[in-house]
Amino acid sequence: MILKNQNEWALHCCSVLSWVPPERYLSTKALAEFHDVPKEYLSKALQALSQAGIVEGTLGPSGGYRLARKPSDITFLDIVEAIEGKGSTFACTEIRKNNPCRTAKHCDNKPCAVARVMWEADAAWRNTLRGVRLSDLAKTLKETVPADLLEKTGAWVVDRT
Amino acid sequence: MILKNQNEWALHCCSVLSWVPPERYLSTKALAEFHDVPKEYLSKALQALSQAGIVEGTLGPSGGYRLARKPSDITFLDIVEAIEGKGSTFACTEIRKNNPCRTAKHCDNKPCAVARVMWEADAAWRNTLRGVRLSDLAKTLKETVPADLLEKTGAWVVDRT
DNA sequence: CTTCCCACGGATATAAAATATCCTTAAATT
DNA sequence: AATTTAAGGATATTTTATATCCGTGGGAAG
Ligand code: FES
Ligand code: FES
């Protein structure tokens, strides 16, 4: 099991979009060029983010995407769930029901103990993602990425909005 | 992203194998019949558990598998990692390196901040799984599964060892 | 010693999901 | 009116998951 590469793209795109000045937009083309990924496929990820209400798009020249909310209101989980979906990573097929010793009277009012553990682990994963916001990421980047690169990148983005 | 169904099979198989009396074995055939899953494919999961040192198999009639360690020495993580592998669920493709503003002198001594968060979430997932042992599962089952079903199931297993 | 049962592992087939491209539509800008 | 762009449907390609098949050799039982 491995997460889709769309996650990495979407997370980095949201990070880039936080450079976009208010009332302006950055196009899919620019985002695809910046990350060197296929534009048409990246478009699908951005559409998912749009449907999730994380970014908003507008048409026409000078159109594109921008964040729909403040970076402090967008968590990693929001973005990952827009790409991967909200369903648990563990799918219980109720294999326990195949136990040949079971009779019809054995009802399953409680979920399987195995599934409960797996779902708990899934929740722990999501909780970690929920605990990190886009604003936290920006702060970390400021501390770890060379200032000149950050500056140039910001200019590059603003230049195309 | 969804975990393989082998995980559910392997976890339930380990649970069943904890019924096996010392010095005896339960065959793949019996495990497949018990869970109503294809024997040949289940065999692959059991081989993975065997290679991970969670179960041990023996050949010949009256052969099969049994747990290689005490249930209190086997965690959910051991089993899941035997099936899914130990690698992180998030694959970073170093997309940041495609930033057109980068120059050769920008080295990446530290991993990307995005990847660090995703790996932290992966670690949280694994930590939860590491925190539950097969012995804990047995205890939970004792509390939630009707006593008569547990007893019949145990007898079914012993009958085939 | 012979026969049968079994784990083990390689090879292959099928189904499903991820990745990627193509194309049409309609809205916003110039 | 012409151009740029998001939106989304359709389709193709690649990879992974699921499943089956078969050969090998070890171990138990007669
Ligand atoms: S029946 Fe699905 S995890 Fe137990
Ligand atoms: S470069 Fe891979 S997550 Fe940032």
Side-chain angles (χ1 to χ4, degrees):
Chain A
M1 179 206 63
I2 196 121
L3 291 167
K4 313 194 218 188
N5 59 8
Q6 301 263 49
N7 287 284
E8 188 180 13
W9 301 3
L11 287 162
H12 277 267
C13 280
C14 286
S15 174
V16 168
L17 287 176
S18 63
W19 287 95
V20 174
E23 306 304 319
R24 310 202 66 170
Y25 298 87
L26 188 64
S27 71
T28 304
K29 192 178 156 207
L31 284 165
E33 184 190 341
F34 186 91
H35 294 113
D36 191 27
V37 296
K39 182 179 90 119
E40 306 281 357
Y41 191 34
L42 174 63
S43 170
K44 302 295 182 190
L46 294 168
Q47 283 172 38
L49 292 175
S50 176
Q51 282 208 293
I54 295 164
V55 305
E56 55 191 8
T58 194
L59 300 178
S62 84
Y65 291 100
R66 69 181 174 202
L67 294 180
R69 306 197 295 264
K70 294 178 294 179
S72 58
D73 275 350
I74 298 173
T75 70
F76 270 53
L77 183 63
D78 293 330
I79 297 166
V80 170
E81 283 192 337
I83 302 297
E84 291 287 338
K86 290 173 189 281
S88 169
T89 53
F90 177 79
C92 168
T93 64
E94 288 292 342
I95 201 182
R96 62 177 171 167
K97 287 190 178 160
N98 298 327
N99 179 339
C101 304
R102 283 179 98 91
T103 59
K105 74 175 170 44
H106 288 119
C107 61
D108 298 294
N109 35 16
K110 289 185 187 175
C112 175
V114 171
R116 283 213 299 272
V117 173
M118 297 304 287
W119 291 335
E120 197 189 325
D122 183 85
W125 176 71
R126 292 181 135 86
N127 280 337
T128 302
L129 295 178
R130 187 173 11 243
V132 184
R133 298 162 189 282
L134 224 42
S135 49
D136 301 321
L137 176 63
K139 208 176 130 202
T140 306
L141 290 177
K142 235 177 199 166
E143 294 164 1
T144 56
V145 176
D148 66 320
L149 178 55
L150 272 184
E151 206 175 311
K152 280 208 298 184
T153 301
W156 189 98
V157 168
V158 170
D159 206 45
R160 272 145 240 254
T161 56
Chain B
M1 179 207 64
I2 197 121
L3 292 166
K4 312 195 218 186
N5 59 10
Q6 302 261 52
N7 287 284
E8 187 180 13
W9 300 3
L11 288 163
H12 277 267
C13 280
C14 286
S15 174
V16 168
L17 286 177
S18 63
W19 287 94
V20 173
E23 305 304 318
R24 311 202 65 172
Y25 299 88
L26 188 63
S27 72
T28 304
K29 192 178 158 208
L31 284 166
E33 182 190 343
F34 185 91
H35 294 113
D36 191 26
V37 296
K39 179 179 91 113
E40 305 281 357
Y41 191 34
L42 174 63
S43 170
K44 301 295 183 189
L46 293 169
Q47 282 173 40
L49 293 175
S50 175
Q51 280 209 295
I54 296 165
V55 304
E56 54 190 9
T58 194
L59 302 176
S62 82
Y65 291 100
R66 69 179 175 204
L67 295 180
R69 306 196 295 263
K70 294 177 295 178
S72 58
D73 275 350
I74 299 173
T75 71
F76 270 54
L77 183 63
D78 293 330
I79 297 166
V80 170
E81 282 191 338
I83 302 297
E84 292 287 337
K86 289 173 189 284
S88 169
T89 53
F90 178 77
C92 168
T93 65
E94 287 293 341
I95 201 181
R96 61 177 173 168
K97 287 193 179 160
N98 298 326
N99 180 340
C101 305
R102 284 178 98 91
T103 61
K105 72 174 172 44
H106 288 119
C107 61
D108 299 294
N109 35 16
K110 289 184 186 174
C112 175
V114 170
R116 283 214 299 273
V117 172
M118 297 304 287
W119 291 334
E120 196 189 328
D122 183 85
W125 175 71
R126 292 180 135 84
N127 281 337
T128 301
L129 294 179
R130 188 173 8 245
V132 183
R133 298 162 188 282
L134 223 44
S135 49
D136 301 321
L137 176 64
K139 209 176 131 200
T140 306
L141 289 176
K142 234 176 198 169
E143 293 164 3
T144 55
V145 176
D148 65 321
L149 177 54
L150 273 184
E151 204 174 315
K152 279 209 299 185
T153 301
W156 188 97
V157 168
V158 171
D159 208 44
R160 269 145 243 255
T161 56

